[in-house]
């Protein structure tokens, strides 16, 4: 694999290992998924798993609103599911020629928008694989109806991975290709490079070449945290003084993270992130007091382990964490000949205090 990182673990993992599904949705009626029930079973290490409908594969982007409604996107075909709290899954958005994958979902509640990233990373995990011909873009759905409202291409050569929504509606997007964070001002379609730093870059074979992946906006509405998937590093980015660029500080950790991906801040201000764990296979949900005042290496508190290629997460106001498990490790290690799992799910657990 060339040093072109792809869009998020999932982007990377998912897109390319997805089954060949027709590009989208003319054959699918909106609102129809089979089966639609969201049955729940215990996971191996204290968390629960909620099944996704048959035929919905390689989940990645995930968001939850203040009423407990879940949204889950697929890297395979750009579909987005919705589940009202206590209800069943329905198809919220069927995918389209413009939205062909979903590696991140973030809710902008004040503006009634569900933002997502859609990179064409299919093929990157295959021998001598390259990204597809369609440029990366972000998109916005009407959070009530699922109507596609906006599609905004990223700059040529950029590979948008994950995103965060600022309080004013601006967007921050990790660019895994160019080791940067991009910024889109509210009501604009002109991308800016918010910050670029050589420490974000990733080199090496296979998945080690994937750079900036997960991104999270702190409760102060201006501090960002990003990780690098291949190198396993974590960075805090703060706005600079007037006329100066943002400052970047690497977070001291007791070990390198094992393929970190999706991140969110919990209601108490601590950072939650998933480790995809391509080599060990022990996918984890980790909590870090990344903005705390303690000196030295930050403690990595493992809240859940034994997950199968966790790629993204969201957290509700009352403290339930939802994690998408892509189940792609076998494909990553063995290649396209490895069978894609028949069943996918979303894991959940309550945050311990």
């Amino acid at each position: 694999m060339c040093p072109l990182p792809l869009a998020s673990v999932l982007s990377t993992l998912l897109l390319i290992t997805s089954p060949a599904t027709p590009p989208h949705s003319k054959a699918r009626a909106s609102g129809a998924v089979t089966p639609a029930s969201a049955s729940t079973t215990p996971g191996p290490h204290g968390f629960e798993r909620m099944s996704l409908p048959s035929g919905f594969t390689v989940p990645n982007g995930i968001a939850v609103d203040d009423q407990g409604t879940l949204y889950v996107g697929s890297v395979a075909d750009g579909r987005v599911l919705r589940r009202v709290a206590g209800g069943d899954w329905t198809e919220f958005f069927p995918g389209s020629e413009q939205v062909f994958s979903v590696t991140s979902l973030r809710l902008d509640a004040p503006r009634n928008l569900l933002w997502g990233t859609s990179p064409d990373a299919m093929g990157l995990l295959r021998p001598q694989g390259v990204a597809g011909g369609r440029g990366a873009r972000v998109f916005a759905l009407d959070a009530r109806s699922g109507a596609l409202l906006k599609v905004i291409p990223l700059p040529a050569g950029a590979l948008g991975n994950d995103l965060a929504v600022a309080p004013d509606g601006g967007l921050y997007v990790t660019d895994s290709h160019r080791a940067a964070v991009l910024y889109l001002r509210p009501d604009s379609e002109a991308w800016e490079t918010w910050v670029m730093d050589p420490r974000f870059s990733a080199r090496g074979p296979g998945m080690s070449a994937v750079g900036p992946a997960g991104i999270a906006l702190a409760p102060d509405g201006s501090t960002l945290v990003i990780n690098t998937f291949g190198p396993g590093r974590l960075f805090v980015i703060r706005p600079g003084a007037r006329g100066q660029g943002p400052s970047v500080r690497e977070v001291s950790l007791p070990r390198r993270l094992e393929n970190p991906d999706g991140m969110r801040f919990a209601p108490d201000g601590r950072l939650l992130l998933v480790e995809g764990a391509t080599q060990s296979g022990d996918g984890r949900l980790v909590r870090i007091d990344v903005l705390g005042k303690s000196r030295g290496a930050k403690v990595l508190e493992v809240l859940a382990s034994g997950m199968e290629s966790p790629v993204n997460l969201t957290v509700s106001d009352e403290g339930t964490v939802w994690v998408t498990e892509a189940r792609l490790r076998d494909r990553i290690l063995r290649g396209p000949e490895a069978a894609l799992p028949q069943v996918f799910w979303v894991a959940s657990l309550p945050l311990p205090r």
Side-chain angles (χ1 to χ4, degrees):
M1 174 175 179
C2 62
L4 269 177
L6 60 158
S8 199
V9 175
L10 205 47
S11 196
T12 248
L13 291 39
L14 305 266
L15 285 176
I16 64 181
T17 78
S18 329
T21 317
H24 318 276
S25 33
K26 295 182 180 162
R28 281 193 291 274
S30 180
V33 289
T34 306
S37 62
S39 59
T40 300
T41 57
H45 298 281
F47 54 89
E48 292 188 329
R49 283 171 167 159
M50 180 185 299
S51 61
L52 292 168
S54 175
F56 187 88
T57 59
V58 287
N60 189 348
I62 184 167
V64 64
D65 69 15
D66 59 5
Q67 302 299 310
T69 298
L70 278 173
Y71 302 87
V72 177
S74 167
V75 173
D77 57 14
R79 279 194 288 170
V80 178
L81 300 180
R82 178 171 64 178
R83 176 186 177 268
V84 176
D88 292 329
W89 295 108
T90 59
E91 187 171 85
F92 185 62
F93 176 72
S96 70
E97 293 296 331
Q98 293 179 294
V99 179
F100 37 79
S101 70
V102 180
T103 59
S104 180
L105 286 174
R106 297 289 179 102
L107 189 65
D108 181 2
R111 282 157 282 273
N112 188 43
L113 296 175
L114 183 66
W115 285 99
T117 49
S118 187
D120 191 2
M122 187 74 82
L124 279 176
L125 295 181
R126 298 182 180 132
Q128 288 78 52
V130 295
R134 294 171 290 190
R137 67 282 312 269
V138 300
F139 63 92
L141 305 178
D142 184 296
R144 287 188 292 263
S145 69
L148 180 61
L149 301 179
K150 299 181 182 182
V151 177
I152 304 175
L154 269 69
L159 190 48
N161 187 327
D162 199 1
L163 65 89
V165 182
D168 64 0
L171 300 182
Y172 298 95
V173 175
T174 48
D175 182 349
S176 296
H177 184 183
R178 299 186 298 181
V181 176
L182 306 179
Y183 176 61
L184 187 70
R185 296 180 185 275
D187 302 317
S188 172
E189 295 193 1
W191 291 95
E192 305 170 21
T193 298
W194 179 251
V195 62
M196 181 179 288
D197 192 295
R199 290 172 290 177
F200 299 165
S201 62
R203 296 179 177 84
M207 300 303 294
S208 61
V210 179
I215 185 170
L217 186 65
D220 65 9
S222 61
T223 300
L224 290 168
V225 180
I226 72 164
N227 60 49
T228 54
F229 181 79
R233 301 168 77 177
L234 192 65
F235 299 90
V236 174
I237 305 171
R238 298 183 187 274
R242 184 178 295 274
Q244 297 182 337
S247 66
V248 179
R249 173 180 62 84
E250 183 167 4
V251 179
S252 177
L253 300 172
R255 62 171 174 82
R256 285 292 174 94
L257 298 168
E258 188 180 10
N259 307 129
D261 203 353
M263 302 193 296
R264 297 289 191 279
F265 276 92
D268 67 1
R270 285 180 286 183
L271 183 71
L272 304 170
L273 66 81
V274 292
E275 294 183 274
T278 300
Q279 291 302 314
S280 74
D282 183 20
R284 295 173 290 273
L285 171 66
V286 177
R287 181 164 61 184
I288 310 171
D289 189 12
V290 68
L291 301 178
K293 298 186 182 301
S294 62
R295 297 185 179 183
K298 299 293 184 180
V299 174
L300 300 180
E301 182 184 3
V302 177
L303 302 182
S305 60
M307 292 181 168
E308 298 186 31
S309 306
V311 289
N312 224 316
L313 63 89
T314 190
V315 57
S316 66
D317 292 341
E318 70 273 11
T320 298
V321 184
W322 303 87
V323 178
T324 45
E325 294 182 72
R327 306 199 68 197
L328 287 171
R329 180 172 179 260
D330 201 29
R331 276 289 182 95
I332 295 167
L333 298 179
R334 293 177 51 206
E337 69 276 8
L340 193 72
Q342 297 298 305
V343 178
F344 290 86
W345 51 67
V346 173
S348 70
L349 70 159
L351 274 178
R353 294 188 179 276

